Each structure stands twice: as structure tokens, then as C-alpha cells.
């Protein structure tokens, strides 16, 4: 039962590179969330979107409802961006999470 | 302002013991969610409260799992007769609005290890 699929599972990048993480889902959704999880478990909500595109600093999130696909982009990546990035979708009261993309940015 | 807090941060239990995990949501937040995150996996939904009412408990894996939020603020997740497969990080999140499609604020989690 994988309502949410992310790719890649692991990603290593050089500092400064442009990064893309992809998310596909199979259920009808109210919203899609991108979350950041640092070692130790703390989760921070980066974006919540139901259409179009959102930008926050170096982070950009897009969603295509027809294709049931979203992407998270990081421009000018930095070692502090190293974390697990989780895509999650909501339907009603339920949250379905992807397994995450582990990003390591090397100086 | 304080965020969501959880206690204990780490819990080691012997198989068969009962455990209680506490979540203090952000003050005034209506919605409270519990999730279970196994090692290397994404979180999985356990249960959802709107104020003191448990509106969805479809994710609780067995009748050994019980959650309550009697006064609509602090919540406790109780696991009876713990098993090794219960070992996971238990995450709590709260939201100022009803329904899951609003922004949720996550606590740091409680890492449960059952020996």
C-alpha cells in the first residue's frame, strides 16, 4: 500500500547544485505537504499546497493535480539542507506519507 | 512561544510492559494527530483528535493501542503489553484548525525501544 511514492530515496549533491525531489501519489487529495526531518526526528513543515507553485527562499514546490505529481526544488544547495525530505498528502483527516528522500549536500 | 512537546523523548520497555507517551500540543490548537514512524520509513497515521473527541482511530495497529485527550489539550498514547514490533518513533502533531489538510506542527517524537 504505497499511496505516496518519492524519488530518489537517497541523493548526494555538491554544495551549490540545483536539487529536485519528486513525489507521486495515487489518492485524491485535499493538500500535499513537503516536510523536512532532521536527524533526531524533528519534523518541520516546509510547504502545504493544493495547486500551482510556492516559493520560500531557496525552496520551490510545485504540484500538478492532473498528473498527481509534485516536485520540491532546492536552488544553490547548502550543507545545512542535508536532511530527509518527506512528501505527504491529506485526504479528509488522514495523512499519507512517503518514505522520504535522504539528502546529503557535500561542501 | 512553545512548540509541540513530547515526553519522554526516549523509552526502553521490556516486552509485555505497558507504556504511556505524552504529547503537549501548542496551546489552543484544536487538532492533534499521532503518528508511528518505523526506522527508515515515513510516518504512518495512528489517530486524530478534534478537541477532546477522537474522530479517527483507524490507524491504531491493534487494540493494545489506546489514545486519549480528555480535556482537549494534552494527549496520551498508551500501548499495553508492548511487543518488539512496537519499537518506533511516535510523533505527535497539532494544528490550529480542523482537518488534516492544514499545516501541522510536529513534536520531536518519542523513540520507543521494546526489548
Amino acid at each position: 500500500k504505497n499511496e505516496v511514492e518519492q524519488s530518489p530515496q537517497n541523493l548526494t549533491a555538491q554544495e551549490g547544485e540545483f536539487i529536485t525531489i519528486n513525489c507521486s501519489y495515487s489518492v485524491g487529495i485535499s493538500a500535499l505537504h513537503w516536510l523536512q526531518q532532521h536527524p533526531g526526528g524533528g519534523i518541520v513543515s516546509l510547504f502545504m499546497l493544493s495547486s500551482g507553485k510556492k516559493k520560500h527562499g531557496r525552496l520551490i514546490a510545485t504540484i500538478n493535480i492532473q498528473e498527481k505529481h509534485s516536485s520540491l526544488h532546492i536552488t544553490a544547495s547548502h550543507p545545512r539542507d542535508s536532511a530527509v525530505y518527506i512528501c505527504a498528502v491529506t485526504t479528509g483527516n488522514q495523512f499519507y506519507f512517503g518514505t522520504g528522500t535522504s539528502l546529503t549536500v557535500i561542501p | 512561544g512553545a512548540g509541540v512537546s513530547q515526553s519522554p523523548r526516549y523509552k526502553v520497555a521490556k516486552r509485555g510492559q505497558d507504556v504511556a507517551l505524552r504529547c503537549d500540543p501548542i496551546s489552543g490548537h484544536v487538532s492533534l494527530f499521532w503518528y508511528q514512524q518505523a526506522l527508515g520509513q515515513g510516518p504512518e497515521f495512528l489517530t486524530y483528535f478534534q478537541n477532546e473527541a477522537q474522530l479517527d482511530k483507524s490507524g491504531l495497529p491493534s487494540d493494545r493501542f489506546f489514545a486519549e485527550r480528555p480535556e482537549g489539550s494534552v494527549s496520551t498514547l498508551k500501548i499495553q503489553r508492548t511487543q518488539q514490533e512496537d519499537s518506533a518513533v511516535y510523533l505527535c502533531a497539532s494544528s490550529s484548525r480542523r482537518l488534516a489538510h492544514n499545516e501541522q506542527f510536529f513534536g520531536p517524537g518519542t523513540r520507543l525501544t521494546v526489548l
Side-chain angles (χ1 to χ4, degrees):
Chain A
K1 68 160 196 179
N2 289 323
E3 290 86 0
V4 181
E5 300 275 359
Q6 285 185 238
S7 64
Q9 281 192 311
N10 297 284
L11 182 56
T12 300
Q14 289 291 134
E15 182 173 358
E17 282 186 6
F18 180 84
I19 288 163
T20 296
I21 300 171
N22 294 300
C23 174
S24 297
Y25 55 92
S26 59
V27 294
I29 67 169
S30 309
L32 182 142
H33 304 250
W34 282 101
L35 310 169
Q36 182 191 56
Q37 185 169 31
H38 283 284
I43 291 180
V44 174
S45 177
L46 298 175
F47 293 104
M48 182 180 70
L49 63 166
S50 54
S51 65
K53 175 179 174 178
K54 286 190 175 180
K55 184 175 189 292
H56 185 208
R58 296 180 294 106
L59 303 178
I60 303 167
T62 64
I63 186 169
N64 185 317
I65 296 295
Q66 287 72 30
E67 295 185 4
K68 295 189 173 181
H69 180 269
S70 175
S71 293
L72 175 68
H73 305 285
I74 305 175
T75 61
S77 59
H78 190 277
R80 65 175 173 267
D81 297 328
S82 298
V84 174
Y85 292 83
I86 300 172
C87 173
V89 299
T90 54
T91 66
N93 294 327
Q94 292 253 0
F95 238 72
Y96 297 99
F97 293 81
T99 55
T101 294
S102 179
L103 171 65
T104 302
V105 181
I106 300 170
Chain B
V4 178
S5 61
Q6 292 185 245
S7 60
R9 290 293 312 277
Y10 302 91
K11 176 70 179 177
V12 178
K14 290 184 179 179
R15 190 162 58 94
Q17 279 186 333
D18 298 348
V19 298
L21 313 180
R22 177 185 169 112
C23 172
D24 285 80
I26 293 173
S27 178
H29 274 197
V30 169
S31 296
L32 186 145
F33 302 82
W34 282 100
Y35 301 98
Q36 181 190 57
Q37 186 174 23
L39 188 64
Q41 301 295 315
E44 292 198 2
F45 170 81
L46 293 177
T47 187
Y48 161 64
F49 289 86
Q50 187 180 109
N51 297 308
E52 70 279 2
Q54 189 175 21
L55 297 189
D56 190 336
K57 54 181 181 179
S58 62
L60 296 176
S62 78
D63 59 9
R64 296 186 295 103
F65 286 71
F66 173 76
E68 60 183 5
R69 193 187 186 198
E71 297 179 359
S73 55
V74 171
S75 178
T76 303
L77 177 66
K78 297 179 179 177
I79 308 173
Q80 297 176 324
R81 304 180 304 280
T82 52
Q83 303 294 314
Q84 285 188 320
E85 62 262 27
D86 300 334
S87 296
V89 174
Y90 290 85
L91 295 164
C92 174
S94 71
S95 174
S96 61
R97 299 185 180 183
R98 299 178 177 85
L99 298 181
H101 63 255
N102 295 294
E103 184 179 11
Q104 297 189 11
F105 296 84
F106 286 81
T110 294
R111 182 176 296 278
L112 173 65
T113 302
V114 181
L115 303 177

